[in-house]
Amino acid sequence: MTGIRLTAPAPGWSIDADVVVVGSGVAGLTAALRCAAAGLATVVVTKARLDDGSTRWAQGGIAAALGEGDTPQQHLDDTLVAGAGLCDEDAVRTLVTEGPDAVRRLIATGARFDTTDGGDIALTREGGHHRSRIAHAGGDATGAEISRALVEAVREAALHTVENALVLDLLTDAEGRTAGVTLHVMGEGQHDGVGAVRAPAVVLATGGMGQVFSATTNPAVSTGDGVALALRAGAEVSDLEFVQFHPTVLFLGSDSEGQQPLVSEAVRGEGAHLVDASGTRFMLGQHELAELAPRDIVAKAITRRMGLHGTEHMYLDARHFGAEMWERRFPTILAACRAHGIDPVTEPIPVAPAAHYASGGVRTDLRGRTTVPGLYACGEVACTGVHGANRLASNSLLEGLVFAERIAADIVADRPRAGAPVAAPDSAPAPLIAPESRTAIQRIMTRGAGVLRSAGSLTAAAAELEALHEGAASAVGTAEPKVAVPGVEAWEATNLLLVSRVLVAAALRREETRGCHWREDLPERDDENWRRHVVVRIAPGRRPVLRTTRTEAFGPVDPAREPDRAAASQTHPADVTEEP
């Protein structure tokens, strides 16, 4: 344990449970339903409402080998290619072999997917897939349908839920084992203010961390709270440098905050053109597929063009579609654009890349166990080894589903018990970051660790982030007006800063270009030296400590609990060298 914790009031109320699940997307609710069905007292804690997580915004679908002629092996092959040499093959094999039945169980729970005239699940194809294996609902509303079905199931099961609650820190017993979480409930109700859920098993399913950047497709609640909690608790994170950017997100201005509207790849698929202010199609000659090149290539080209012209966005021109096609084919995107004063029928859409998905996260084993006993993670907050350096389209919902089921099975089999929570080791609380620093953090990250990176940009970002950290630390115990007051905005800003510092440290360490990690100063993929994972933990002195594995093998989180991976790691031992 690091002894590091957020500055917060002592809990004023508590709930006892067997399991507490933090998050209410596909991963969190699936884990909670399976645990409750096995008779475990289960509490679901979520930052907003039950249906307000990232899952509901998923447009494309969920990938699984469900179609005639498709096989888990083919799905595995496609996933390994997309992951650019860094996928853990054991984790991917688990995903693709257990995925089809997991989707069928999701349907049994109540999710209604689109079907063919013959009644079979309708399957489509997305980038990187060699087969049609994407199940979808409501056309482009798959996440909303999955969320609806799971939320209804949770309410029918009468699970204890705590909404509008920001998780703060992990509770542990005298042996260092998980004993629950502290949290802050925002608003009046059965619980209010800071409290605790005491449980020997904690499942983190808090989603992504897109809000570390100025623009993201993630909802406003995605401030990296789960990764930050895990780091403060002493858990390892892995591959945090691999952030997938979506190239075409509606640009709402440099000062815009919160979730940005996505302009789907399907618009380009129907023939829209990317142009600069002069109307030049700059993707021509960049790639044989022009605007339909892979996401990372398009995002990189847009960012370079913005730098060349000194602008903050490019344009997506689909005026040639005409009003009828816009209204029939893309009514949701049309409505979103018009809500922000842009009419795609008569003018080009301003777009810029935005953070979309975190391939890395809290390092887990094949049962979702982290390096802290009793703490589990699944979904986007976790790094299972499935995604490697770049997520294959529509694997995210499946990963959350499959590994949530595995976590529930492990908790049910283990029936963990913990002692009473004890006070954290003697250590001053982490200095709180002033809420107004949030925008500064986002701009530093966008400028220094966005789509295009280099040693210079990352070093500058690291220095600026460190200055914010040191400034907050030096203000503690003084009467300076910049001392932050405990509260949701300060806690979120503090989490954002911690996650940003670790992400930048990992990106600096990875001296190559691979997947969605682009180094302008090191543009080539270097398998000899960098086909390996960057693993980070936080030392008691609050400094990120990094190590790299010797190979792409993910390795066990605890050799005693995971003998199969431990045996494999003897062939490919971890690099024990650590750097502050």
Side-chain angles (χ1 to χ4, degrees), residues 234-474:
E236 291 183 339
V237 302
S238 184
D239 301 347
L240 218 62
E241 67 272 28
F242 295 117
V243 179
Q244 188 180 77
F245 284 77
H246 197 288
T248 54
V249 174
L250 182 63
F251 180 76
L252 302 179
S254 58
D255 295 329
S256 63
E257 296 180 355
Q259 185 178 13
Q260 311 293 297
L262 184 67
V263 182
S264 170
E265 283 182 16
V267 178
R268 282 175 279 141
E270 295 287 355
H273 302 146
L274 281 166
V275 298
D276 58 24
S278 67
T280 301
R281 286 183 63 188
F282 55 88
M283 284 304 301
L284 294 176
Q286 296 278 343
H287 190 275
E288 61 180 355
L289 296 178
E291 282 88 357
L292 291 179
R295 285 181 182 176
D296 50 359
I297 293 174
V298 178
K300 185 177 183 182
I302 290 174
T303 302
R304 280 178 168 164
R305 197 75 172 186
M306 291 190 305
L308 181 64
H309 288 264
T311 60
E312 295 180 306
H313 62 81
M314 289 288 111
Y315 294 94
L316 188 64
D317 192 351
R319 289 174 291 181
H320 53 285
F321 284 7
E324 189 276 331
M325 180 176 174
W326 266 110
E327 292 167 0
R328 172 181 53 82
R329 183 70 176 85
F330 301 111
T332 303
I333 296 171
L334 178 64
C337 289
R338 285 177 169 169
H340 292 284
I342 299 154
D343 189 349
V345 176
T346 61
E347 59 186 318
I349 306 169
V351 294
H356 185 55
Y357 190 87
S359 293
V362 185
R363 194 167 80 89
T364 74
D365 66 11
L366 296 180
R367 293 192 175 275
R369 298 175 293 198
T370 74
T371 51
V372 175
L375 178 65
Y376 297 79
C378 57
E380 192 173 353
V381 70
C383 186
T384 62
V386 161
H387 303 308
N390 195 34
R391 174 180 64 93
L392 179 66
S394 291
N395 267 357
S396 51
L397 290 175
L398 189 70
E399 182 199 31
L401 185 64
V402 167
F403 284 89
E405 291 191 339
R406 293 190 131 243
I407 286 173
D410 191 74
I411 294 173
V412 170
D414 189 38
R415 299 278 172 163
R417 292 290 180 266
V422 297
D426 290 339
S427 176
L432 286 180
I433 305 303
E436 54 267 27
S437 296
R438 177 171 178 153
T439 300
I441 294 168
Q442 292 170 332
R443 290 179 178 175
I444 290 167
M445 291 297 291
T446 299
R447 182 171 60 248
V451 179
L452 303 182
R453 303 166 177 178
S454 67
S457 74
L458 290 166
T459 300
E464 291 180 89
L465 293 171
E466 193 62 24
L468 287 174
H469 173 73
E470 293 298 332
S474 65

Side-chain angles (χ1 to χ4, degrees), residues 23 83 138 145 152 194 215 281 300 371 480-481 519 529 538 547:
E145 170 56 21
E152 285 189 7
V194 175
R281 286 183 63 188
K300 185 177 183 182
T371 51
E480 294 186 38
R519 287 281 299 261
N529 295 303
I538 295 296
R547 68 177 175 87

